[in-house]
């Protein structure tokens, strides 16, 4: 390598000797600054406002593409600013990752402000999430008070992010509950066909002897059998006064809405419900019902696909008797 021909001047007045070829290769900004200087003059790059040690670590990265953990911990904020100013994405990526992993309630405000100035959205998001998780402790720090005083817009952005996070968590929980409900209904549809076609423990068609061994979906199947026995013997359902019978009626209706074999389906009232739906005019209630049918059908398809994948990869090695025992408790 040629003799150093470029000196980096720091705030302390100390100079760091470097090579033009290294600086030019690492950063187009540094290359342009150097090319603007006269060839016969001493080439200088001034980096002020940053500790000498941070500039030294910065230059070391230009030569080796590495920074020690100690340098990242002590001078990460300065290195982020330098990587942004001189457009060095490799250093910026490493510093951003290191800063995100070492956030504290005392430094998160400063890191967030710098992340905004240095156009580092990943680091900004990490800071936002940290503040959201530890807000009660962060708001007591001196850094948060300074942020409130000097950057109220950023404070407002943080508070809005926290509100949106709460809404996202609530929406996620609601969607999970809904998805669980659709999966349960999908499983009930499978059990209904299984009971009416093959029979199970105590309920089944007259021409088929029900199996006395519990099936793989014992809890759902057993509950559905109890509901069927009640539906068959209840006298209140004639006047529509039994909530359990209404539930059974809805299950039969839902089955008919997703059944593709109504012509030879053995589930009671399947074809009758199909005919009734064809004659029925659309309305708001019908649209809500169609949405329910679609979501249950999707849940059924997803459940079936998941089962096929498990079987094909031989990962479903849970012993049936353990499932039966756990479900029947």
């Amino acid at each position: 390598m040629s003799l150093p021909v470029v000196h980096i001047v720091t705030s302390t007045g100390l100079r760091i000797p470097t090579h033009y070829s290294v600086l030019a290769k690492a950063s187009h900004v540094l290359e342009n600054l150097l090319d603007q200087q006269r060839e016969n003059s001493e080439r200088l790059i001034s980096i002020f406002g940053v500790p000498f040690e941070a500039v030294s670590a910065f230059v070391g990265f230009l030569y080796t593409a590495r920074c020690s953990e100690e340098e990242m911990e002590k001078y990460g904020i300065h290195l982020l600013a330098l990587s942004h100013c001189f457009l060095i994405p490799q250093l910026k990526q490493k510093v951003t990752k290191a800063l995100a992993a070492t956030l504290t309630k005392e430094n998160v405000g400063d890191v967030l402000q710098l992340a905004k100035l240095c156009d580092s959205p990943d680091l900004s998001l990490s800071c936002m999430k940290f503040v959201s998780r530890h807000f009660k402790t962060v708001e007591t720090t001196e850094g948060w008070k300074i942020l409130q005083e000097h950057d109220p817009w950023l404070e407002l952005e943080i508070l809005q992010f926290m509100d949106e996070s709460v809404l996202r968590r609530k929406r996620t929980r609601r969607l999970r509950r809904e998805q669980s409900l659709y999966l349960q209904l999908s499983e009930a549809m499978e059990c209904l066909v299984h009971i009416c076609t093959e029979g199970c423990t105590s309920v089944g068609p007259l021409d088929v002897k029900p199996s006395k061994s519990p099936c793989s979906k014992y809890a759902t199947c057993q509950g559905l059998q109890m509901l069927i026995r009640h539906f068959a013997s209840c006298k209140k359902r004639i006047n529509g006064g039994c909530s359990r019978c209404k539930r059974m009626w809805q299950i039969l209706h839902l089955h008919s809405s997703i059944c593709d074999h109504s012509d030879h389906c053995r589930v009671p009232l399947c074809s009758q419900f199909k005919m009734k739906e064809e004659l029925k005019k659309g309305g708001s209630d019908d649209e809500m019902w169609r949405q329910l049918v679609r979501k249950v059908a999707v849940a059924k398809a997803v459940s079936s696909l998941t089962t096929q994948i498990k079987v094909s990869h031989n990962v479903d090695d849970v012993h049936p008797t353990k499932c039966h025992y756990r479900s029947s408790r």
Side-chain angles (χ1 to χ4, degrees):
M1 184 176 289
S2 61
L3 294 175
V5 294
V6 179
H7 288 85
I8 295 180
V9 184
T10 64
S11 298
T12 60
L14 296 175
R15 296 187 177 192
I16 301 176
T18 60
H19 298 81
Y20 172 87
S21 58
V22 174
L23 301 186
K25 183 178 179 180
S27 168
H28 293 301
V29 176
L30 291 172
E31 182 181 20
N32 291 335
L33 289 174
L34 293 172
D35 289 344
Q36 291 172 8
Q37 301 179 20
R38 294 180 180 178
E39 293 185 2
N40 58 355
S41 64
E42 184 181 15
R43 290 184 171 180
L44 301 174
I45 297 291
S46 299
I47 301 180
F48 299 147
V50 179
F52 171 80
E53 295 79 4
V55 180
S56 179
F58 172 70
V59 173
F61 181 86
L62 300 184
Y63 277 83
T64 65
R66 292 192 300 270
C67 277
S68 67
E69 292 184 5
E70 183 180 1
E71 290 172 334
M72 286 289 189
E73 184 178 352
K74 288 184 177 180
Y75 312 114
I77 291 179
H78 304 295
L79 292 173
L80 176 61
L82 291 172
S83 68
H84 176 71
C85 290
F86 295 110
L87 298 181
I88 305 176
Q90 297 87 351
L91 176 59
K92 190 173 185 178
Q93 183 179 9
K94 290 180 180 292
V95 176
T96 295
K97 186 177 180 180
L99 288 174
T102 57
L103 291 173
T104 66
K105 64 179 183 179
E106 286 80 14
N107 72 3
V108 66
D110 294 334
V111 175
L112 177 57
Q113 293 182 78
L114 184 61
K116 293 289 185 181
L117 291 173
C118 294
D119 190 25
S120 181
D122 291 343
L123 183 57
S124 296
L125 181 59
S126 296
C127 292
M128 289 285 197
K129 289 181 177 179
F130 183 92
V131 173
S132 181
R133 290 194 302 269
H134 308 283
F135 183 71
K136 289 185 178 181
T137 55
V138 171
E139 68 174 345
T140 62
T141 62
E142 190 65 28
W144 179 259
K145 295 175 183 177
I146 294 174
L147 186 149
Q148 285 181 306
E149 183 178 351
H150 294 92
D151 199 343
W153 287 108
L154 181 55
E155 178 193 7
L156 179 60
E157 184 178 348
I158 294 171
L159 296 176
Q160 288 176 337
F161 176 86
M162 292 172 60
D163 289 339
E164 291 172 358
S165 297
V166 172
L167 292 176
R168 282 195 298 270
R169 286 194 294 269
K170 289 182 178 179
R171 184 165 58 250
T172 300
R173 286 195 294 267
R174 176 176 57 81
L175 291 174
R176 286 176 178 171
R177 287 195 299 268
E178 290 180 357
Q179 186 62 27
S180 177
L181 173 62
Y182 300 141
L183 287 172
Q184 291 175 22
L185 288 172
S186 171
E187 187 173 278
M189 297 301 101
E190 294 179 11
C191 288
L192 181 62
V193 174
H194 158 64
I195 292 170
C196 295
T197 305
E198 304 167 353
C200 188
T201 60
S202 60
V203 178
L206 295 175
D207 57 343
V208 176
K209 185 178 180 180
S211 172
K212 296 301 180 182
S213 301
C215 65
S216 60
K217 298 180 176 63
Y218 176 79
T220 302
C221 198
Q222 190 70 8
L224 193 55
Q225 289 181 66
M226 293 174 62
L227 192 60
I228 291 173
R229 288 200 300 269
H230 169 84
F231 183 74
S233 60
C234 181
K235 297 180 180 179
K236 289 184 179 179
R237 67 184 175 91
I238 298 176
N239 299 322
C242 179
S243 59
R244 296 182 67 187
C245 290
K246 288 181 180 178
R247 193 178 309 125
M248 186 68 224
W249 200 261
Q250 290 172 342
I251 290 174
L252 293 171
H253 186 188
L254 182 58
H255 161 78
S256 72
S257 298
I258 64 175
C259 180
D260 297 326
H261 310 287
S262 58
D263 293 339
H264 52 275
C265 180
R266 302 197 66 171
V267 176
L269 305 177
C270 182
S271 58
Q272 288 88 331
F273 273 118
K274 287 279 190 185
M275 293 176 60
K276 186 176 180 180
E277 285 296 325
E278 292 177 0
L279 297 174
K280 194 175 181 180
K281 293 182 179 180
S284 58
D285 292 340
D286 292 340
E287 179 58 30
M288 293 177 62
W289 179 260
R290 282 193 290 270
Q291 289 183 12
L292 173 64
V293 170
R294 275 197 302 271
K295 290 177 179 179
V296 172
V298 169
K300 181 180 178 181
V302 171
S303 177
S304 177
L305 180 60
T306 303
T307 302
Q308 292 176 14
I309 292 174
K310 285 183 177 180
V311 171
S312 64
H313 288 83
N314 295 319
V315 299
D316 190 13
D317 57 351
V318 181
H319 196 281
T321 56
K322 295 181 181 179
C323 294
H324 302 154
Y325 175 74
R326 184 168 58 249
S327 299
S328 60
R329 288 175 59 180

